[in-house]
Amino acid sequence: MLLNWKSTKVNTEKIKRPNPSRVRDHLANERTYLAWMRTAISLMGFGVVIVRLRAFHPPMLPSPGNGWKLGLLFSIVGLLTVLLSTKHYFGVRHDIDYDTYEPTDRWVILFSLAIAILGTGVIYYIFTIPSSLEGLMAPE
């Protein structure tokens, strides 16, 4: 049986690239994707930290409180960041290949709002600690 080997020689006349900075654009897209991944990992990690801090609540506290909800919300937003940024990465990759990429503002607005809401939740959570805990946390 004979194997039909293709030539490894590349015919440069057949390759026609409309965008001379195509490789640079793909690398920039990948760097942006990796930045979103770091953001997602940070959000999920912060959510885990918030939930784990609940384990250190003083014994006088009658219930575990609502910190776990905020931690869960951070983790969910982190997971959504992974999913949406992966979808966005492949969409931009396709647009770069076909030289049709146009930047959109929706991702910046969406994640700015998400982080603003989560930050507001953290601030609210910190300042709504019951007064009975304030004496336990502050040194006398």
Side-chain angles (χ1 to χ4, degrees):
M1 180 172 146
L2 293 173
L3 296 175
N4 190 7
W5 294 95
K6 292 185 178 183
S7 173
T8 57
K9 192 175 186 182
V10 177
N11 187 355
T12 56
E13 293 174 6
K14 287 184 180 180
I15 299 174
K16 185 177 181 182
R17 296 183 186 211
N19 186 357
S21 63
R22 183 174 174 267
V23 172
R24 185 178 46 213
D25 293 343
H26 278 293
L27 292 173
N29 186 34
E30 187 173 340
R31 283 190 303 273
T32 303
Y33 174 70
L34 294 174
W36 281 111
M37 288 297 105
R38 285 190 301 271
T39 302
I41 291 168
S42 298
L43 286 168
M44 289 185 284
F46 196 56
V48 168
V49 167
I50 291 172
V51 170
R52 292 300 299 162
L53 286 177
R54 180 178 68 101
F56 299 114
H57 74 279
M60 294 173 59
L61 188 63
S63 67
N66 292 323
W68 68 271
K69 293 176 186 176
L70 185 60
L72 180 64
L73 188 60
F74 266 92
S75 298
I76 289 171
V77 169
L79 286 174
L80 283 173
T81 302
V82 170
L83 296 173
L84 292 175
S85 63
T86 301
K87 180 185 178 303
H88 182 68
Y89 168 79
F90 284 110
V92 169
R93 181 178 169 182
H94 178 268
D95 290 347
I96 290 171
D97 284 339
Y98 289 97
D99 203 21
T100 59
Y101 176 72
E102 290 294 326
T104 61
D105 294 339
R106 69 177 170 196
W107 297 111
V108 174
I109 293 169
L110 176 70
F111 283 103
S112 295
L113 285 173
I115 298 301
I117 290 169
L118 289 174
T120 303
V122 169
I123 292 169
Y124 175 79
Y125 180 68
I126 288 172
F127 287 109
T128 57
I129 295 175
S131 60
S132 63
L133 289 179
E134 290 174 3
L136 294 172
M137 293 182 171
E140 293 183 29

